[in-house]
Amino acid sequence: MSLAADAFVSQISAAEPWPENATLYQPLKEDQILLSDCASSLAVQAYLRMCGLPVQVVCRANAEYMSPSGKIPFIHVGNQVVSELGPIVQFTKAKGHSLSDGLDDVQRAEMKAYMELVNNMLLTAELYIQWCDDATATEISRPRYSNPYSWPLSNILAYQKQWEVRRKMNAIGWGGKNLEQVYEDVSQCCQALSQRLGTQPYFFNKQPTELDALVFGHLFTILTTRLTSAELAERIKSNSNLLSFCRRIEQTYFEDKSS
Amino acid sequence: MHRRTSVLRGCTAAHLSSEDAPPHICPQRMHRRTSVLRGCTAAHLSSEDAPPHICTQRMHRRTSVLRGCTAAHLSSEDAPPHICPQRMHRRTSVLRGCTAAHLSSEDAPPHICPQRMHRRTSVLRGCTAAHLSSEDAPPHICPQRMHRRTSVLRGCTAAHLSSEDAPPHICPQMIHSKYNADYDLSAKEGADSLAFISLLEEKLMPALIYTFWVEPKNYVDVTRRWYAEHMPFPFNFFLPGRMQRTQLEKLRLLRGDESLEAGEELEKELFRDATECMNLLSQRLGSQKFFFGDSPSSLDAYVFGHLAPILKSKLPNGKLQQHLKSLDNLTNFCTNILLLYFPRDGRESSSQKTSSQPEGGDFDHVPNKRRKQFMSVLVALGAMLSYALLTGMVSIQHAHQEALEEPPDLQTLRAQDHEEDEEEDG
């Protein structure tokens, strides 16, 4: 994470080619993973597939504690461990794989800005709905999050996580929001993305970038995950070009390879 | 309207039922009745029985006598509302001080005459100039917006107002109602500004918090002094520290690191993000005057609000400032906005600086120094007193008491001596 370590990583890794046995770690897909983690994980997978870098997905119950930054997902490449999309993008760039090379300065600035928009609004909204909406927290988040652990520990860990997320929400000023306001923020974000996408196949011209991977990861996960209320997915569905965008990426990068 | 007015005057049920009758059906009856109910004289009544259309003026004059109100109010009241809405409005000013329920009923068809409505509401609520000016915005552009706004303003707390004045992302309703500086941005530009605001929040905000609150030198030399100097006496000792703890806590939560402390590594990470963010902004701005061409938008305000403090404050640790100064277009952008929109402040601050700088920092310190001297003297006195109380004072008091007690003893002794002497003499 630190600057010195980053420089070191990029120097070392630049020399080595992408290995065949690269692995991506995430929590248990069936029983444990939560919406926000699943979205981040899918974004990284989409990004790596767009780069044409093979990666094997491994599910571990303690993935969160294995990650160097405590965040999901992280990849294990050679002797390097890198977590989260931003550092992973830099890491692959050091290895000579980049999706945003064809962009000019303004476009790159806009791409970064939109990526922060997704992190700032969609990801935060996902976390809010998971942990701050009581119905979702009781029915889905806490049981799923603590699924691999036995009784006393499961409760402790789940409540600890919820407490942590709620404090973060208070710190960034989302603590006072109600669910309706959060949905409103999500629609606003989706409208912005939809406006930006317009009729193009990808956000910047005809080539996918990391922004496309990130947006796909979040939207696709929200669309395909069953929550206590379908409101979140409904907000996305009102933008038809985003739906077709998700379908397009899914078909191009996920279907033909799995079949 | 009729029902309401009757309620306001505390009339009986009889009034209500008769008043509820459509005014245009039988104005005559109505008038007669009201006069009867108010205990008016026969003369009044007779004049009332005259067909209203013949002598409405008289009627009004009379009723005015009866009710002790001014002619203007009454004439407007008795007129059928649909005929003369203008008068209606004037009347409502009489009703000033009615409950919210009444007011809402007053918000009768806005599409008929929003302008007048606004004038009225402003009168009714005695709002400040700020409210009025915002309300005077062209109503034909978006009457709905106006309504939402007026309803918000109605008896609103400071919180409402402040939230409205806050940047648009805080109050999404404002973006939807297009009540912002981005009125003539295209949808795509609006999306862009949302994205760049997110970028600022995610990348620049943590560095800003760090620079002003966490970095020890900056905090002690600048931020704490700013706040301490402008707070009344007892608060300036603990409030800045408390604010710093909240900000540090916020930074910890933002970074997701519980044990985060000020230091080289953290500074590097945060400043790397911040410089990247500034570079991106600089690239996006290019050679334009504002982010979206020649007219300012909320994004410009937002960027300016975050960059100007870095550019203008004199911090001991000025790495961000150095970097910002190396980006010419962003620096120009900030100074340009300062010149355009803060011409008075800029002149004042510059004149202040020129006037205060020759006299040196001592001049600034004097009030604070005096207070500190005063405080230290007080503390020293207190310490001395308590020490004295604990050790010496007790004995002094004792000695004093003895001293007080002694003289009478002596006197009595002496008196006794005298007596004895006298006895001896005698």
Side-chain angles (χ1 to χ4, degrees):
Chain A
M1 275 304 278
S2 76
L3 200 64
D6 272 0
F8 180 71
V9 164
S10 53
Q11 272 182 4
I12 296 283
S13 55
E16 297 171 11
W18 189 267
E20 280 301 307
N21 63 351
T23 36
L24 181 144
Y25 289 90
Q26 64 172 39
L28 305 179
K29 204 169 171 57
E30 295 302 317
D31 307 318
Q32 191 193 10
I33 199 165
L34 294 177
L35 180 64
S36 59
D37 291 341
C38 186
S40 310
S41 177
L42 188 62
V44 171
Q45 288 176 47
Y47 174 74
L48 292 176
R49 282 176 187 235
M50 284 171 180
C51 289
L53 301 169
V55 72
Q56 189 192 353
V57 179
V58 175
C59 295
R60 288 284 165 83
N62 61 343
E64 190 180 342
Y65 302 99
M66 291 163 75
S67 162
S69 68
K71 301 230 170 97
I72 304 294
F74 67 99
I75 53 169
H76 181 203
V77 182
N79 55 359
Q80 307 287 326
V81 179
V82 192
S83 69
E84 293 180 78
L85 183 62
I88 289 175
V89 168
Q90 287 192 337
F91 178 75
T92 56
K93 198 173 183 179
K95 284 197 180 294
H97 303 274
S98 175
L99 295 176
S100 51
D101 276 345
L103 304 182
D104 62 31
D105 282 350
V106 174
Q107 282 177 326
R108 196 169 298 123
E110 284 174 352
M111 187 193 75
K112 290 261 165 79
Y114 275 93
M115 286 178 76
E116 292 309 328
L117 174 70
V118 174
N119 284 333
N120 193 9
M121 286 195 143
L122 274 186
L123 184 63
T124 319
E126 285 164 10
L127 283 172
Y128 181 96
I129 289 164
Q130 265 169 216
W131 295 109
C132 298
D133 174 36
D134 285 324
T136 319
T138 335
E139 284 177 38
I140 300 174
S141 309
R142 281 203 302 264
R144 272 184 77 88
Y145 183 79
S146 57
N147 186 50
Y149 310 105
S150 52
W151 170 64
L153 186 62
S154 60
N155 268 7
I156 295 169
L157 287 177
Y159 277 102
Q160 192 186 13
K161 179 77 180 174
Q162 185 171 15
W163 171 241
E164 190 188 305
V165 173
R166 286 195 173 180
R167 274 177 63 216
K168 189 183 172 181
M169 290 294 155
N170 284 330
I172 58 172
W174 280 51
K177 288 191 181 183
N178 59 30
L179 208 54
E180 187 48 42
Q181 282 169 313
V182 172
Y183 287 141
E184 200 51 41
D185 279 352
V186 171
S187 348
Q188 204 188 334
C189 174
C190 289
Q191 276 168 21
L193 290 172
S194 167
Q195 288 293 343
R196 176 74 219 189
L197 184 63
T199 53
Q200 306 171 99
Y202 298 107
F203 276 92
F204 293 96
N205 313 326
K206 295 210 162 81
Q207 289 301 310
T209 59
E210 47 258 42
L211 174 62
D212 297 279
L214 184 65
V215 172
F216 168 76
H218 281 275
L219 295 189
F220 189 81
T221 311
I222 292 174
L223 287 170
T224 52
T225 308
R226 198 177 53 82
L227 291 172
T228 49
S229 139
E231 183 68 22
L232 196 60
E234 290 301 322
R235 299 283 171 143
I236 295 174
K237 281 180 189 159
S238 54
N239 301 294
S240 58
N241 59 346
L242 291 181
L243 285 180
S244 52
F245 167 80
C246 286
R247 214 166 290 133
R248 190 179 312 125
I249 292 191
E250 191 198 1
Q251 282 163 2
T252 324
Y253 294 99
F254 284 85
E255 272 179 4
D256 53 351
K257 293 195 177 166
S258 59
S259 62
Chain B
M1 293 299 289
H2 285 290
R3 205 178 315 135
R4 176 165 36 77
T5 30
S6 63
V7 171
L8 285 170
R9 304 262 154 77
C11 322
T12 62
H15 289 144
L16 285 170
S17 61
S18 54
E19 270 182 357
D20 286 346
H24 57 277
I25 290 179
C26 184
Q28 264 174 313
R29 253 230 255 84
M30 275 217 0
H31 288 298
R32 203 183 319 132
R33 185 180 19 81
T34 28
S35 59
V36 171
L37 287 167
R38 306 256 154 81
C40 37
T41 63
H44 291 143
L45 283 169
S46 64
S47 64
E48 269 188 355
D49 289 341
H53 59 275
I54 291 179
C55 184
T56 38
Q57 265 176 319
R58 254 228 254 93
M59 262 197 34
H60 290 304
R61 212 180 315 131
R62 188 195 358 102
T63 30
S64 69
V65 172
L66 286 170
R67 273 165 225 162
C69 356
T70 65
H73 293 147
L74 285 169
S75 63
S76 58
E77 263 180 15
D78 291 345
H82 59 276
I83 291 179
C84 181
Q86 244 176 331
R87 271 206 254 117
M88 264 201 24
H89 290 298
R90 215 176 316 135
R91 168 162 43 82
T92 36
S93 64
V94 178
L95 298 175
R96 183 182 311 164
C98 34
T99 65
H102 295 140
L103 285 172
S104 64
S105 63
E106 275 181 7
D107 289 343
H111 54 276
I112 293 181
C113 180
Q115 252 174 323
R116 251 201 271 120
M117 278 233 339
H118 290 298
R119 203 182 321 132
R120 183 189 3 112
T121 30
S122 64
V123 172
L124 284 169
R125 266 146 232 170
C127 334
T128 64
H131 296 148
L132 285 172
S133 64
S134 59
E135 278 187 357
D136 290 342
H140 57 276
I141 291 180
C142 180
Q144 262 174 320
R145 205 217 291 145
M146 302 287 298
H147 283 295
R148 197 169 334 128
R149 195 188 170 62
T150 29
S151 63
V152 172
L153 286 172
R154 185 176 308 159
C156 50
T157 62
H160 287 138
L161 288 172
S162 67
S163 71
E164 278 199 346
D165 295 334
H169 68 285
I170 292 178
C171 186
Q173 285 109 315
M174 280 177 67
I175 282 191
H176 286 295
S177 58
K178 299 265 190 324
Y179 195 69
N180 52 21
D182 307 339
Y183 199 62
D184 37 60
L185 290 189
S186 72
K188 197 181 161 198
E189 285 171 329
D192 279 3
S193 70
L194 205 61
F196 276 95
I197 286 172
S198 299
L199 179 75
L200 275 172
E201 275 186 2
E202 293 274 315
K203 298 272 182 189
L204 195 60
M205 269 301 272
L208 270 181
I209 294 177
Y210 181 85
T211 325
F212 283 99
W213 290 103
V214 182
E215 150 71 30
K217 259 190 180 173
N218 287 353
Y219 169 66
V220 172
D221 286 1
V222 178
T223 318
R224 195 173 65 188
R225 236 186 78 200
W226 280 347
Y227 281 90
E229 276 178 9
H230 292 95
M231 279 176 185
F233 155 62
F235 301 110
N236 57 1
F237 285 103
F238 58 89
L239 272 187
R242 204 170 166 197
M243 289 161 87
Q244 193 217 12
R245 278 194 296 280
T246 354
Q247 297 286 346
L248 181 63
E249 187 65 26
K250 187 177 174 183
L251 190 64
R252 282 180 178 162
L253 288 166
L254 283 178
R255 304 279 305 171
D257 182 358
E258 282 296 310
S259 56
L260 174 141
E261 286 293 335
E264 286 274 304
E265 200 155 303
L266 175 69
E267 188 180 302
K268 269 182 186 164
E269 278 174 37
L270 289 173
F271 285 4
R272 183 188 51 186
D273 278 355
T275 48
E276 190 197 356
C277 174
M278 286 185 209
N279 290 339
L280 293 173
L281 286 174
S282 166
Q283 284 162 9
R284 176 63 182 78
L285 184 64
S287 54
Q288 287 169 300
K289 193 177 174 196
F290 295 109
F291 276 91
F292 300 106
D294 283 334
S295 59
S297 68
S298 64
L299 176 62
D300 296 286
Y302 206 85
V303 173
F304 170 77
H306 284 75
L307 292 184
I310 304 176
L311 189 68
K312 288 293 166 189
S313 52
K314 294 193 176 88
L315 297 171
N317 180 347
K319 285 178 193 163
L320 278 184
Q321 191 180 38
Q322 279 168 20
H323 185 80
L324 182 57
K325 278 187 173 162
S326 71
L327 300 168
D328 287 333
N329 58 351
L330 276 188
T331 321
N332 287 338
F333 169 81
C334 286
T335 45
N336 194 15
I337 289 186
L338 266 177
L339 282 175
L340 270 174
Y341 298 103
F342 300 90
R344 204 164 47 91
D345 294 5
R347 239 177 284 142
E348 267 177 14
S349 65
S350 63
S351 65
Q352 269 180 357
K353 268 175 205 160
T354 48
S355 67
S356 68
Q357 266 167 355
E359 285 164 78
D362 290 10
F363 189 74
D364 283 342
H365 285 288
V366 167
N368 219 14
K369 234 182 193 173
R370 283 236 173 101
R371 197 184 294 153
K372 275 175 188 163
Q373 282 171 343
F374 184 66
M375 280 304 296
S376 52
V377 165
L378 269 184
V379 167
L381 270 178
M384 281 156 72
L385 271 176
S386 56
Y387 182 74
L389 267 173
L390 280 172
T391 57
M393 193 64 181
V394 178
S395 63
I396 288 168
Q397 230 174 9
H398 204 66
H400 195 65
Q401 273 177 352
E402 281 173 0
L404 278 172
E405 281 162 7
E406 267 176 60
D409 286 349
L410 286 172
Q411 274 173 0
T412 49
L413 280 173
R414 266 185 224 130
Q416 279 172 355
D417 286 351
H418 278 289
E419 277 167 17
E420 280 168 14
D421 286 353
E422 277 167 14
E423 276 170 17
E424 279 172 12
D425 288 345

